[in-house]
Amino acid sequence: MLAELGPDLQGLADAAIGFVAGGKRLRPQFCFAGWLVAGGDPEEPGIVTAAAALEWLQASALVHDDLMDGSDTRRGRPSIHRAFEARHREESRHGDPVGFGTSAAVLLGDLMLSWCDELFRSNGLPHAGDAFSFLDRCKTEVVAGQFLDVAGQTRESLSVAEAMTVVRYKSAKYTVERPLHIGAALAGAGPELIAALTEVALPLGEAFQLRDDVLGVFGDPEQTGKPAGDDLREGKRTVLVARAAELTDEAGRELLRTSLGTAEGVDSVRDLIRTSGALAAVEGDIARLEAQADEAIDRLGADARDVLGPLALTATRRTR
């Protein structure tokens, strides 16, 4: 339909399709895992449709997240707003290229969110209505988490507990818990299994986001597709930063106050995170959360272990 309206909208559609090429596909994988744990048929095509819809939700969130953060790259390529800025300049268009890029990113992110619902609605599974309620909650929760993250950047500091609340709502629920719930609900799971999956999902999702935070500061840009230190440059009050503030002395806290959120302060804040023991503390948090998730997987039984065990390792033992 978009292509019929001319080359500008063909370009928008091409950008959307190109954006979802790549990525870890974790949310669809957890959705499929929830389906299998609840006894769903692995050959059922409807679950593939439902799980794929979550990739449009993820794409929408990333396009908007990059815009809010002013990020230049995503997955080793220009972020959507930067790509449309560049297109504006290359084609010598009238007006403001930055404004054009911003508008394109807002609209494309909204379109992807609409496509998520449209695709999910077409899965044809008998329990789709039950699962849709979890998808609705997922969308609300990720917006709540994103806003807590944005609001946190306006504060001088966040405690570890406050930073972990951001982790839970911005990532753990959205990446692991709700996709598992959606897949299980599509297979007709009852409340007991949904609750048992939460016991797996929340610690695993929190460990996933803490690993993401570590990679954002110490990861290899060749692997992550983003410059190392972006979170520090953007002034994100992550758990790493909260741990550093907790463990350092007053001079270290003053360094955080003056250098976090500046390009020139990235190296000194990174060094503080390491030397204060914050990096080691967060690695300890990740190991503790992994162990909690592992115990919860064991309580679900051997079949669930076969499905969730490898996926849990993929989420937390990664380099990108």
Side-chain angles (χ1 to χ4, degrees):
M1 175 225 169
L2 292 178
E4 297 169 6
L5 299 177
D8 279 341
L9 281 167
Q10 179 65 65
L12 194 72
D14 289 344
I17 293 166
F19 192 81
V20 295
K24 294 179 281 294
R25 305 279 193 264
L26 277 176
R27 291 150 197 87
Q29 289 184 70
F30 277 113
C31 181
F32 187 58
W35 167 266
L36 294 177
V37 171
D41 178 0
E43 302 302 320
E44 166 58 57
I47 187 58
V48 178
T49 300
L54 300 185
E55 200 63 14
W56 284 122
L57 175 59
Q58 165 70 347
S60 171
L62 291 179
V63 168
H64 286 163
D65 191 53
D66 287 343
L67 177 61
M68 289 186 291
D69 290 344
S71 296
D72 295 329
T73 60
R74 170 67 63 179
R75 297 170 180 164
R77 294 173 293 177
S79 52
I80 289 293
H81 62 286
R82 297 296 187 222
F84 276 92
E85 278 180 40
R87 181 176 302 180
H88 185 289
R89 293 188 177 97
E90 289 161 6
E91 297 173 358
S92 300
R93 292 178 178 240
H94 293 287
D96 175 22
V98 174
F100 179 69
T102 296
S103 298
V106 169
L107 292 169
L108 186 57
D110 289 350
L111 182 62
M112 290 168 161
L113 186 60
S114 175
W115 283 351
C116 167
D117 284 358
E118 185 179 338
L119 185 59
F120 192 86
R121 215 177 273 115
S122 70
N123 66 62
L125 296 170
H127 298 285
D130 296 334
F132 223 119
S133 67
F134 288 113
L135 179 59
D136 287 339
R137 288 181 226 176
C138 179
K139 289 182 286 187
T140 298
E141 287 162 352
V142 74
V143 169
Q146 287 278 35
F147 186 75
L148 287 173
D149 190 28
V150 169
Q153 293 177 62
T154 69
R155 295 171 56 184
E156 185 173 287
S157 65
L158 292 183
S159 68
V160 172
E162 289 169 327
M164 284 300 298
T165 299
V166 175
V167 165
R168 175 163 290 196
Y169 282 88
K170 183 181 176 182
S171 190
K173 284 178 164 291
Y174 161 69
T175 301
V176 184
E177 184 191 33
R178 295 311 186 191
L180 279 174
H181 286 173
I182 289 165
L186 286 167
E192 288 187 5
L193 179 55
I194 295 293
L197 289 172
T198 289
E199 292 182 4
V200 175
L202 290 182
L204 181 58
E206 288 170 1
F208 164 83
Q209 183 56 47
L210 293 181
R211 174 60 61 212
D212 214 51
D213 291 346
V214 170
L215 290 172
V217 176
F218 297 100
D220 179 358
E222 293 288 325
Q223 295 285 327
T224 64
K226 297 195 77 173
D230 252 13
D231 285 354
L232 304 180
R233 199 173 293 107
E234 293 159 12
K236 293 285 182 81
R237 269 59 177 176
T238 63
V239 175
L240 271 174
V241 170
R243 286 283 186 208
E246 177 184 74
L247 294 170
T248 191
D249 56 16
E250 189 52 43
R253 284 185 280 275
E254 179 61 22
L255 174 66
L256 289 174
R257 281 191 288 270
T258 57
S259 298
L260 185 65
T262 68
E264 59 275 12
V266 168
D267 289 341
S268 58
V269 174
R270 184 191 287 117
D271 288 344
L272 178 66
I273 288 170
R274 185 185 290 107
T275 58
S276 67
L279 175 59
V282 170
E283 290 289 357
D285 291 335
I286 292 170
R288 173 179 53 79
L289 290 164
E290 283 180 320
Q292 287 179 17
D294 212 45
E295 291 169 6
I297 291 171
D298 281 340
R299 290 195 292 272
L300 284 168
D303 289 344
R305 162 64 60 191
D306 290 342
V307 173
L308 291 170
L311 194 49
L313 293 176
T314 298
T316 60
R317 308 284 177 88
R318 57 195 173 90
T319 58
R320 67 183 185 96

